[in-house]
Amino acid sequence: KQEVTQIPAALSVPEGENLVLNCSFTDSAIYNLQWFRQDPGKGLTSLLLIQSSQREQTSGRLNASLDKSSGRSTLYIAASQPGDSATYLCAVNYGQNFVFGPGTRLSVLP
Amino acid sequence: GAGVSQSPSNKVTEKGKDVELRCDPISGHTALYWYRQSLGQGLEFLIYFQGNSAPDKSGLPSDRFSAERTGGSVSTLTIQRTQQEDSAVYLCASSPATTHYEQYFGPGTRLTVT
């Protein structure tokens, strides 16, 4: 069964800290993995997409890594800001379907 | 350019009524997905359309749920005889294709069944 988990479920940090969110998946036969953020009551905003052949992708203060063989991806957020507060979701693309993790709820305190 | 749009943004209906939710994907996107997000839950895959192929309905929770996509563009998700457990946010996403491209999500429709 294709399952995606995310650790931690919730995280609260002071502004300025660097942090790492984790995503694990059981089936490594993936096409790509996508990280999203979701603000309360809103839809999903795409942050980064990593193809199965790639090791990492960077966008501004965000860096996502992928280790397909071990079924893991991490999202690194540098110099966190209160505006980063949201729920972060990873989604694994298996071609015919995307499987989402339950999310990590991040709070960055001013 | 225009993103994925969904309508209505909010829908309140009485138990037992039928509802239709609409999704307008990004122009040119061949893949379209419907998901459901219940309060405090993750995203649950419902149905997926790719071009003119038969849709993948494997995620639909019951035969009260159906979806169609007309002309390879607009999609409607229909829920018949709504139940209170159908209350959720219904999200639509589109993608240029399925395997190597990212999904773009609409803002969702919040459905409340009273």
Side-chain angles (χ1 to χ4, degrees), chain A residues 16-92:
Chain A
E17 274 204 8
N18 303 324
L19 56 99
V20 175
L21 308 181
N22 298 287
C23 173
S24 298
F25 45 95
T26 56
D27 183 348
S28 62
I30 74 172
Y31 282 90
N32 57 50
L33 184 147
Q34 195 168 355
W35 282 93
F36 295 88
R37 70 173 279 168
Q38 185 175 31
D39 294 282
K42 305 286 187 181
L44 277 67
T45 300
S46 179
L47 298 174
L48 288 164
L49 173 72
I50 311 180
Q51 301 294 348
S52 62
S53 59
Q54 296 175 323
R55 298 284 295 191
E56 66 178 316
Q57 280 287 328
T58 298
S59 176
R61 293 183 295 108
L62 304 179
N63 175 279
S65 69
L66 175 64
D67 184 342
K68 195 173 73 166
S69 61
S70 67
R72 294 178 183 174
S73 175
T74 61
L75 180 66
Y76 175 82
I77 303 177
S80 59
Q81 302 171 357
D84 295 331
S85 297
T87 297
Y88 290 79
L89 298 159
C90 68
V92 180

Side-chain angles (χ1 to χ4, degrees), chain B residues 18-32:
Chain B
D18 297 352
V19 295
E20 277 192 359
L21 312 179
R22 177 186 170 106
C23 172
D24 283 88
I26 293 173
S27 178
H29 281 194
T30 58
L32 186 148

Side-chain angles (χ1 to χ4, degrees), chain A residues 31-32 34 36 38 41-46 49 51-52 89 91 93 95-98 100-102, chain B residues 33 35 37 41-43 45 48 56 89 91 95 98-108 110:
Chain A
Y31 282 90
N32 57 50
Q34 195 168 355
F36 295 88
Q38 185 175 31
K42 305 286 187 181
L44 277 67
T45 300
S46 179
L49 173 72
Q51 301 294 348
S52 62
L89 298 159
N93 180 358
Q96 296 287 353
N97 64 303
F98 283 76
F100 280 77
Chain B
Y33 306 80
Y35 297 89
Q37 188 174 35
Q41 303 294 314
L43 268 76
F45 165 77
Y48 144 73
D56 176 358
V89 176
L91 291 162
S95 173
T98 54
T99 56
H100 297 294
Y101 296 89
E102 61 190 298
Q103 294 183 92
Y104 297 84
F105 277 80
R110 181 175 299 278

Side-chain angles (χ1 to χ4, degrees), chain B residues 3-7 22-27 32 73-75 92 94:
Chain B
V4 178
S5 62
Q6 292 186 246
S7 61
R22 177 186 170 106
C23 172
D24 283 88
I26 293 173
S27 178
L32 186 148
S73 181
V74 172
S75 177
C92 172
S94 72

